Amino acid sequence: MDLQIAAVLLPLLGWAVHGSVLAHRLASARRDPLTGLHTRAGWTARAEHCIRRHPTAAVLLIDLDHFKTLNDTHGHAAGDAALAATADRLRTWCGRHGTAGRLGGDEFVAVVQDLTAANLDVLTAALNRPLHHSGRSLPLAASVGVCRVTELPVPLLTDALAAADAAMYAAKGRGRRGSRLSH
């Protein structure tokens, strides 16, 4: 009888281990390895859920200003530190009422349940605070575009991202280091 139990349990144990490894790989694929933020796929699923459940949701698109210059002047380690610091500041601002992600390069996204409660000025100040790296204070700045989902004819994430992108470029056009709501 013990041999029969072992014959049944060993394959089940193998499948359990295999399933665990696959689940870990899937979770890793949905997280950016440098920042720990959700990748586009992981963030998109959460953002769509937030938009469906919270009519006062807002979508933000964040782009670091002068990132290439920072990276080229102070090195890739400083650039990585800037990306990680931006991710930490964005994650902290979102808290339990939103989700942050990294699209790639120096572009980040966020969705929050209610922009008024989240306080956009606090985020803008955090993203524009200098970064302390290797004993130096490095300038860190970001342009933020925001779209309140209530401003859209139909609350679709793709439309909210497009509006936030346009608002972000308008913020860059104003001299950077700021935020702008879509209109």
Side-chain angles (χ1 to χ4, degrees), residues 45 77 85 107 136 141 166:
E107 285 192 337
R136 302 173 85 177

Side-chain angles (χ1 to χ4, degrees), residues 61 63 107 143-145 163-175 180:
L61 190 62
D63 188 71
E107 285 192 337
S143 295
V144 181
D165 188 47
M168 187 263 305
Y169 277 103
K172 281 192 179 293
R174 287 193 349 241
R180 183 165 178 115

Side-chain angles (χ1 to χ4, degrees), residues 54-127:
H54 302 281
T56 57
V59 173
L60 293 80
L61 190 62
I62 300 102
D63 188 71
L64 293 182
D65 296 337
H66 311 293
F67 179 73
K68 183 174 178 356
T69 302
L70 183 141
N71 213 29
D72 290 348
T73 304
H74 300 285
H76 292 289
D80 286 353
L83 295 171
T86 300
D88 287 342
R89 295 169 186 184
L90 185 56
R91 183 181 12 257
T92 298
W93 179 78
C94 286
R96 294 184 1 198
H97 305 288
T99 302
R102 179 175 176 213
L103 295 181
D106 62 340
E107 285 192 337
F108 297 85
V109 288
V111 63
V112 289
Q113 296 171 6
D114 183 357
L115 188 61
T116 306
N119 194 341
L120 184 58
D121 292 335
V122 169
L123 175 64
T124 302
L127 294 176

Side-chain angles (χ1 to χ4, degrees), residues 16-47:
V17 170
H18 179 71
S20 175
V21 168
L22 288 177
H24 181 346
R25 285 184 181 170
L26 180 60
S28 295
R30 292 189 177 180
R31 292 278 181 180
D32 175 60
L34 177 63
T35 64
L37 292 180
H38 295 285
T39 59
R40 182 184 299 263
W43 179 82
T44 297
R46 285 169 175 74

